[in-house]
Amino acid sequence: MLRNYLRIAFRNLWQHKGFTFLNIIGLTVGMVAFFLIFLYVRFELSYDSMHSKADRIYRIVCDIKTPTETLHASQPSWAVPPHLTGELPEVESAVRVGTGDTWLVYRGDQQFAQDDVAVADSTFLQIFDFPLLKGDRKTALKEPFSVVLTETTAKKFFGSADPMGKSLALGQEKLHATVTGVLKDIPDNSIIKASMIVSMNTITQRLNRGLDDQWGNYGPNGYVLLKPGASAAALEKKFPAFLEKMNGTEMHKINMIPTLFLEPLRDVYLRSTRDGSKTGNITDVYIFSIIGVFILLIACINFINLTTARSADRAKEVGIRKVVGAVKGQLARQFIGESVILCLMALLLAVILTALLIHPFNQIAGKIISPGIFSHPGDLLILLGIAILIGIAAGLYPALVLSSFQPVSVLKGRFATGARGTFLRKALVIVQFTIATGLIIGTLVVYNQLNYMRSQDLGFNKDQKMVCDTRGDSSKLVLKQAVSGLPGVLSTAMSGSVPGGGNPGAYSQIENTHGEMQIANLDLYFVDFDYIPQFKMKMVAGRAFSRAFLTDTTNAMVLNEAAVKLFGYRSPKEAVGRRFDQWGRKGTIIGVVQDFHFRSLQEVIKPLSMRIEPRACDLLSINIDGQNIPATIGTIEKTWKRLMPDKPFSYFFLDEFFDKQYRAEDRFGKLFLYFAVLAIVISCLGLMGLASYSTLQRTKEIGVRKIVGASVGNIVFLLSKDFLQLVAWSFLVAFPVSWFLLHGWLKSFAYRISVYWWIFAAAGMMALLVALLTISFQSIRAAVASPVKSLRTE
């Protein structure tokens, strides 16, 4: 019996190769897109799930209230984590982790500029479960100048030799350090990124003594491990008393009141909105989840539409089989079986295509979403289950409807497709193109927003700026002077920060409109005299730093417009000449620079101060001529090696560095575009199949109309208008839904476009045009066919 079912199924599929092909291809593409999105979403949701104690690990964050504002910091002060364990019984352990730094590392005569160097307390490997391949978890980071390397970094420094107990030299001073552990490479789905880890007491006990007791200095990330059963909410309520006990007098004296909060470790990546910590976006995960479901839904609609549309052609087959003894159950199993076979064929192709596409998809996503489709065999069972469910759903209509027909009526030719079947197909087409049109609208909005961010006037010039990090070398000023005279170099400047990079926040007191010294935390740029003209920043009041004024090196400050507004001044001119007191430096404000975007356009421009501080200016910004960039870089490198032979030469271009802030948005835009295109293609495949079937059903009608004088245009319009009306209805549904969802997405950007009417009009026209092109192929072919052949069809 089973063999007979299979023989009939494959015979039917082969006889209608066109419909079979469209069904399989549409479903295959849908499954591939859904599975790739499924892998992406699962990866994003898996951040920091590798730690067995993840449900008890929390990140410590801090709100700092000043008389003018509340700062939302992602780190506590240096003193908070080491004092928590002994003071609060809910805390089992705590750790400070500073990440993202670049250190000079020396191994014999070799020198490396090692990125992603972390510093961490000795409790790091006891709280987090990163696999330690060599060394003792309890003691690896206990002593000063202890270093734990990742597997890749160990091979980079020592090759195939055992690194344990070997020596490295750190920093410009070449401080002796010992390798005390080797860590398996930290996976991509971890918020902690590190290529090597230096013991925290290297900093707190040797390089910068006293940090453990600094309550007003906000430093590395802090994490706390709660005891089993302890409540994070209850612990938060104890923080105010804890801070009051440990540092109450000082914090009230400087009028900066911190409030500590706890963020669950698993929420930090996707849900934290703290400055500098938001590397993921739960909204993007929701959006891609919806897109994945929608694409699979479109593919299912295609499959069901084409399957039910063809079911009427098999009415006589059903009648004959019932006459010769087939029962309703047998017929139902036959139709469902054929549908499931088609789905399983699509599944096989989907698995092959996904295996081929997974590595390019990893590159687009910018991380290893999955090493391969077979890395999680259970995923294939999910796909198998989906395929079987789609097959059952698609085969259910013909199975239940056709198998219940009376054979006498069918064989006498009194069978016709019902209005309910036609309505179902129309409703499904509307749903399908509503999704496709919504994705077209979304693509236009996403790309307009990204272009808007890139085309905004940033308030400074970032073109042809080459930046080198001198890492505090004593020859940095000599290097600047030497580079300034090289051919192809237009100008140079030294600074501690460049736009798009990090910069410190500084406890500041600025004279306000009432003549009082108002406390605030200002972002701080250490610069030299050439910095403001080098980046072509505009002064809106007062003057820039000048060598003509010797006092500019000690008691002069430049503010931006946002800082001026913070202190209540109605115009920038009113702030010029006012007093400041910042980090032990006192003086007057000499000028106000026009606001410029020193961070991503996702953030509003924050209050900023600038001061001359040669010792803190390690970044050499070089404005180069664009005529012969490789030659200019070559001469700069030779000068560097002559003056700084102990420092590896490295550089970056500011425009590329600044644009890195939008890398996540760029990837989001690309993925959104690719999946939107796939959704449209799948929709078109289904529409093409329905148009082909509709044309086939009306072949004789077309022949009669041509004989009585209908033109090709009349026939094309006749065959196309019903489908185009459905597409138009889908636009009316997609318009309000898309506007609501996209308006919410745009709220995450401080500077954003408006969702203009023309975006919706353009999307609607694109959807209609795509549908028309899809339908017209079959319509024109039917319209130009000979009416004699049309009338002879059965």
Side-chain angles (χ1 to χ4, degrees), residues 263-327:
E263 291 182 340
L265 178 67
R266 294 292 308 277
D267 288 350
V268 172
Y269 174 73
L270 286 176
R271 293 179 172 84
S272 178
T273 56
R274 294 280 162 170
D275 183 26
S277 67
K278 188 177 179 183
T279 50
N281 193 328
I282 190 63
T283 302
D284 292 351
V285 172
Y286 291 148
I287 289 172
F288 280 121
S289 299
I290 293 169
I291 290 175
V293 172
F294 278 174
I295 288 178
L296 189 62
L297 180 61
I298 290 174
C300 294
I301 289 172
N302 269 358
F303 193 82
I304 293 170
N305 262 344
L306 293 175
T307 302
T308 56
R310 273 200 56 244
S311 63
D313 293 341
R314 303 183 63 180
K316 287 187 177 180
E317 174 195 337
V318 172
I320 293 172
R321 292 178 65 185
K322 293 190 86 171
V323 167
V324 297
V327 298

Side-chain angles (χ1 to χ4, degrees), residues 89-103:
E90 292 88 351
V91 178
E92 180 175 316
S93 185
V95 63
R96 292 167 295 185
V97 184
T99 58
D101 291 333
T102 300
W103 286 40

Side-chain angles (χ1 to χ4, degrees), residues 227-511:
K227 292 179 180 178
S231 167
L235 179 60
E236 281 186 339
K237 292 178 181 179
K238 294 184 177 181
F239 283 150
F242 165 76
L243 292 174
E244 191 70 34
K245 174 185 176 182
M246 306 303 295
N247 192 47
T249 303
E250 182 65 21
M251 67 186 189
H252 288 295
K253 179 181 178 182
I254 64 174
N255 208 2
M256 294 183 72
I257 312 300
T259 303
L260 300 177
F261 299 96
L262 296 177
E263 291 182 340
L265 178 67
R266 294 292 308 277
D267 288 350
V268 172
Y269 174 73
L270 286 176
R271 293 179 172 84
S272 178
T273 56
R274 294 280 162 170
D275 183 26
S277 67
K278 188 177 179 183
T279 50
N281 193 328
I282 190 63
T283 302
D284 292 351
V285 172
Y286 291 148
I287 289 172
F288 280 121
S289 299
I290 293 169
I291 290 175
V293 172
F294 278 174
I295 288 178
L296 189 62
L297 180 61
I298 290 174
C300 294
I301 289 172
N302 269 358
F303 193 82
I304 293 170
N305 262 344
L306 293 175
T307 302
T308 56
R310 273 200 56 244
S311 63
D313 293 341
R314 303 183 63 180
K316 287 187 177 180
E317 174 195 337
V318 172
I320 293 172
R321 292 178 65 185
K322 293 190 86 171
V323 167
V324 297
V327 298
K328 187 174 180 179
Q330 291 174 323
L331 293 170
R333 286 193 294 272
Q334 177 67 48
F335 284 112
I336 292 175
E338 288 181 18
S339 182
V340 170
I341 288 172
L342 267 179
C343 289
L344 293 177
M345 293 169 68
L347 172 63
L348 179 61
L349 287 176
V351 170
I352 295 171
L353 282 175
T354 304
L356 295 174
L357 293 173
I358 192 68
H359 293 298
F361 184 70
N362 286 337
Q363 292 177 346
I364 295 170
K367 56 187 82 174
I368 306 299
I369 298 298
S370 175
I373 190 172
F374 300 107
S375 59
H376 293 87
D379 295 344
L380 298 180
L381 294 178
I382 294 174
L383 267 187
L384 177 63
I386 290 172
I388 293 173
L389 285 175
I390 293 172
I392 293 172
L396 210 55
Y397 174 81
L400 296 179
V401 177
L402 293 183
S403 62
S404 64
F405 288 149
Q406 294 298 320
V408 175
S409 299
V410 172
L411 294 175
K412 285 183 177 181
R414 292 200 293 268
F415 169 78
T417 54
R420 284 184 300 177
T422 304
F423 175 79
L424 174 65
R425 285 193 292 276
K426 287 183 177 181
L428 291 176
V429 169
I430 290 175
V431 171
Q432 189 177 51
F433 265 86
T434 295
I435 297 170
T437 306
L439 290 175
I440 293 174
I441 295 171
T443 301
L444 292 176
V445 170
V446 167
Y447 269 80
N448 272 280
Q449 173 63 23
L450 294 178
N451 288 333
Y452 173 79
M453 292 167 64
R454 293 191 179 283
S455 62
Q456 275 287 92
D457 180 10
L458 298 174
F460 70 95
N461 183 281
K462 61 182 174 68
D463 298 328
Q464 305 300 129
K465 299 290 191 302
M466 176 180 170
V467 182
C468 303
D469 190 351
T470 64
R471 307 181 195 281
D473 194 282
S474 58
S475 301
K476 60 186 178 182
L477 296 181
V478 177
L479 175 70
K480 178 194 173 186
Q481 190 66 28
V483 169
S484 298
L486 295 177
V489 175
L490 303 178
S491 62
T492 59
M494 298 292 298
S495 65
S497 307
V498 292
N503 54 275
Y507 173 77
S508 311
Q509 296 183 65
I510 307 291
E511 184 181 356

Side-chain angles (χ1 to χ4, degrees), residues 1 10 55 85 97 136 163 206 266 293 397 474 486 535 549 580 597 645 660 691 717 748:
M1 182 65 73
F10 282 110
D55 60 326
T85 307
V97 184
D136 187 330
R206 299 293 178 86
R266 294 292 308 277
V293 172
Y397 174 81
S474 58
L486 295 177
F535 286 89
F549 299 88
F580 78 84
H597 292 277
K660 283 182 180 179
F717 176 74
S748 64

Side-chain angles (χ1 to χ4, degrees), residues 500-521:
N503 54 275
Y507 173 77
S508 311
Q509 296 183 65
I510 307 291
E511 184 181 356
N512 62 20
T513 54
H514 303 294
E516 301 170 344
M517 297 301 287
Q518 183 173 318
I519 297 171
N521 190 75

